[in-house]
Amino acid sequence: ANSGLLVGSIAWVALYLALMPLDGVLIKHLVGASGLSPWGLVLYNNVCAAGPGVLFSAILEHDLLLKPGMAALSSRASLHTC
């Protein structure tokens, strides 16, 4: 799956390895300090994910949105393949 992936600089790898833990700790601190209940955190997370999810679904799956009945066929096919 990653056979075409080429990292041209070790600096990108170092930057990623330095910033990802910092990002995780910072977000954990900010969310923990917000005072939200566990259900409030779940609602906040779902609301934050819904916007990009709907937007990217509309952009990437526009052919399903334009053809009536295609979404129903697609969901039935995915149920049978599981």
Side-chain angles (χ1 to χ4, degrees):
N2 294 331
S3 63
L5 182 64
L6 175 66
V7 178
S9 172
I10 194 71
W12 285 110
V13 174
L15 188 64
Y16 177 81
L17 291 175
L19 291 180
M20 288 310 292
L22 177 67
D23 181 53
V25 169
L26 181 63
I27 289 173
K28 184 172 178 73
H29 172 72
L30 290 174
V31 169
S34 69
L36 291 172
S37 69
W39 284 110
L41 291 172
V42 170
L43 179 62
Y44 171 75
N45 191 24
N46 288 341
V47 167
C48 287
V54 169
L55 176 69
F56 289 127
S57 294
I59 292 170
L60 299 173
E61 302 293 339
H62 61 86
D63 55 335
L64 290 178
L65 294 174
L66 296 177
K67 297 178 185 174
M70 288 300 292
L73 292 174
S74 173
S75 64
R76 273 190 242 132
S78 64
L79 289 176
H80 293 297
T81 58
C82 291

